[in-house]
Amino acid sequence: MSSTDHVDRYAVVGNPVAHSLSPRIHSSFAQQTGQALSYQAIELPHDSFTAGIRDLQQQGFSGVNVTVPFKREAWELCNHRSEAAQEAGAVNTLTFLQGGDIDGSNTDGVGLVRDLVDNLKVAIKDRSVLVLGAGGAVRGVLGPILAQSPADLTIANRTLEKAIELARDFSEQGSLEAVAYDALGADNFDLIINGTAAGLSNEVPPLPTRVLGANSICYDMMYSASTATAFVDWAHSHGVAKAFDGIGMLVEQAAEAFALWRNVRPDTTEVIRSLGRP
Ligand code: ATR
């Protein structure tokens, strides 16, 4: 009998996934809440996500988190989806049920909102919010942002058509406007959230500085373990006093997944601090 036979097994699957912080985060949660479980990072080949998941089910895993680039495929694979997953068109948390069915949830948006509102005390309600990017990452968080009732929500994207499509898809949940970066006017925003993939290549979106007001707050959905992200750097270098990276969002989406699986909500404060947020 191996040492893991008696504990429930979980994993994060992605490609690449070796540097994922999720095993560390979930181990902290397990320790803190006294839950016996194991959690590992598993890289799946790009072309065999479904086979990889079926294999983990066969092995007796209880659930997995899904990261880049498989969140859409995970959505397609689910037999049941939470409302957040349904509208996000992407799934980051799979729960394997008895009999082989799979439940899918998306905890990214809730994670972002919890980090902003609860941890950082950055209100969204009645504020003017600008979201940068119109890919899968942004689609995953728009519902929970709109549920906070911002005064207005603008989506800026390099490819304007994608922003227009997103604004249309979410139009029943609030008023959204889609714009190109160079069409952003002189009105500044209370909160600017970077949901683009620009940071992966150490770039920042072409955001005109006129959108920054004296009290604007910047938030990067990306995080960096060592140095500031490119967007946080950009914000600070243009005088923004409050700019945060997405380490808190990462921990909060994990906490939400943990709560779904284990029915107990871990405390996130210490975990976020241990990952470098002051
Ligand atoms: P993800 O799942 O991470 O959202 P995606 O669906 O490929 O990935 O979307 C990437 C997003 O980052 C898009 O909004 C993309 O803009 P385009 O739609 O115009 O391609 C944006 N993006 C990526 N690199 C960027 C850069 N250097 N500057 C600005 N936006 C960038």
Side-chain angles (χ1 to χ4, degrees), residues 68 132-138 157-160 162 181 195-201 203-206 222:
V68 177
L132 314 177
V138 167
N157 197 45
R158 218 169 38 176
T159 313
L160 179 59
K162 280 166 70 181
Y181 287 105
T196 71
L200 289 177
S201 38
E203 290 172 14
V204 290
M222 292 211 165

Side-chain angles (χ1 to χ4, degrees), residues 93-174:
T93 305
L94 297 176
T95 306
F96 300 151
L97 307 177
Q98 300 287 341
D101 276 8
I102 302 179
D103 253 352
S105 309
N106 191 315
T107 65
D108 286 331
V110 170
L112 170 66
V113 168
R114 283 231 170 90
D115 192 37
L116 282 165
V117 178
D118 296 348
N119 299 337
L120 300 168
K121 311 297 178 205
V122 174
I124 298 172
K125 187 174 167 46
D126 297 333
R127 302 299 159 92
S128 75
V129 179
L130 171 63
V131 174
L132 314 177
V138 167
R139 184 178 287 274
V141 300
L142 282 184
I145 292 174
L146 285 165
Q148 293 287 309
S149 307
D152 51 75
L153 179 60
T154 304
I155 305 173
N157 197 45
R158 218 169 38 176
T159 313
L160 179 59
E161 296 72 41
K162 280 166 70 181
I164 291 172
E165 191 184 325
L166 261 192
R168 199 182 300 130
D169 288 352
F170 284 83
S171 60
E172 280 178 15
Q173 295 178 50

